[in-house]
Amino acid sequence: MNWMALHDALLDHFGPQHWWPGETPFEVMVGAVLTQNTAWTHVERAISALKANDALSVRAILALPDTELAALIRPAGYFNVKTRRLKALCQFLLECGVAEAPEQLAEQAPLPELRARLLAVHGVGEETADSILLYALGLPSFVVDAYTRRSFTRLGGLTGDESYAAIQRRFHAELPADRRLFNEFHALIVALGKHYCRPKPRCVDCPLLAVCPHAKTLPLR
Ligand code: SF4
């Protein structure tokens, strides 16, 4: 299986995905926390509420009482949990000295150290940390999600029971460490998972049909 060829086929089919939707690196970081266990449309409403209340900054979020922050991000669901998580992330950025320009976090340490520091923040798991590293900080850390696991297992690239870290290592081994490539490929995999490689796959129209071993086991419809 040629992983670059899969990327190219998806890009030909879907076109550039222009990820991550967000006007600033900090907005991307906030979105990475708010999107946990919820659809992006709900996150957009929460971010709009933060913007409308001049609350989309590290200091503004830290200054808000928990109840007020929870009310603003309520559309994103799990709002009490996410209030604690957002505050923890903002406190981390403040302590790193990058409250005014969170994108400067990228200059503070090599990628593996930054990743470890992010993972130590309350509520930041591997997918959230990698989303921040890749989409907010522009560093080549591949984002793995449920779509990635499902489609690449069906495509024969994974067994399906690997850990997050093992899947990420595989992508890093198969692809050049190019943040633009990682950015686009993850977004394309999400598009694949939403449009075709669903729990019940729509293989007949999938751009990867010709190279997918799983499709050959199914009656086309
Ligand atoms: S051909 Fe089917 S199983 Fe294979 S990637 Fe496409 S939708 Fe998924």
Side-chain angles (χ1 to χ4, degrees), residues 157-204:
L158 301 171
T159 63
D161 56 3
E162 295 96 335
S163 65
Y164 183 106
I167 295 175
Q168 188 187 55
R169 274 199 301 276
R170 194 72 202 283
F171 274 85
H172 286 181
E174 296 287 347
L175 301 168
D178 178 340
R179 67 182 176 92
R180 289 189 179 83
L181 172 66
F182 285 10
N183 176 322
E184 196 64 61
F185 205 174
H186 172 68
L188 289 166
I189 291 167
V190 172
L192 174 69
K194 285 185 174 171
H195 292 280
Y196 303 111
C197 208
R198 298 172 162 213
K200 187 175 178 183
R202 297 175 171 177
C203 300
V204 68

Side-chain angles (χ1 to χ4, degrees), residues 15-98:
Q17 298 297 294
H18 306 294
W19 272 38
W20 178 299
E23 292 175 355
T24 64
F26 182 63
E27 184 177 328
V28 173
M29 293 181 189
V30 170
V33 171
L34 293 181
T35 199
Q36 295 168 348
N37 303 307
T38 198
W40 185 253
T41 49
H42 301 149
V43 176
E44 285 177 325
R45 287 170 50 213
I47 289 180
S48 294
L50 289 170
K51 283 183 180 172
N53 286 273
D54 261 340
L56 194 55
S57 72
V58 169
R59 293 188 191 279
I61 285 176
L62 288 173
L64 274 177
D66 285 3
T67 50
E68 288 183 31
L69 179 57
L72 291 177
I73 65 169
R74 190 181 185 97
Y78 305 99
F79 45 90
N80 288 323
V81 170
K82 291 178 180 176
T83 290
R84 288 193 294 277
R85 292 180 177 181
L86 270 187
K87 288 216 167 179
L89 178 63
C90 289
Q91 186 63 33
F92 167 72
L93 294 169
L94 183 72
E95 288 168 7
C96 289
V98 295

Side-chain angles (χ1 to χ4, degrees), residues 108-120:
Q108 291 201 339
L111 194 161
E113 185 183 330
L114 283 179
R115 190 171 190 272
R117 286 164 62 183
L118 280 167
L119 286 172

Side-chain angles (χ1 to χ4, degrees), residues 154-155 192 196-197 201-203 206 208-209 212 214-215:
R154 288 171 173 171
L155 286 160
L192 174 69
Y196 303 111
C197 208
R202 297 175 171 177
C203 300
C206 177
L208 305 183
L209 173 64
C212 183
H214 186 75

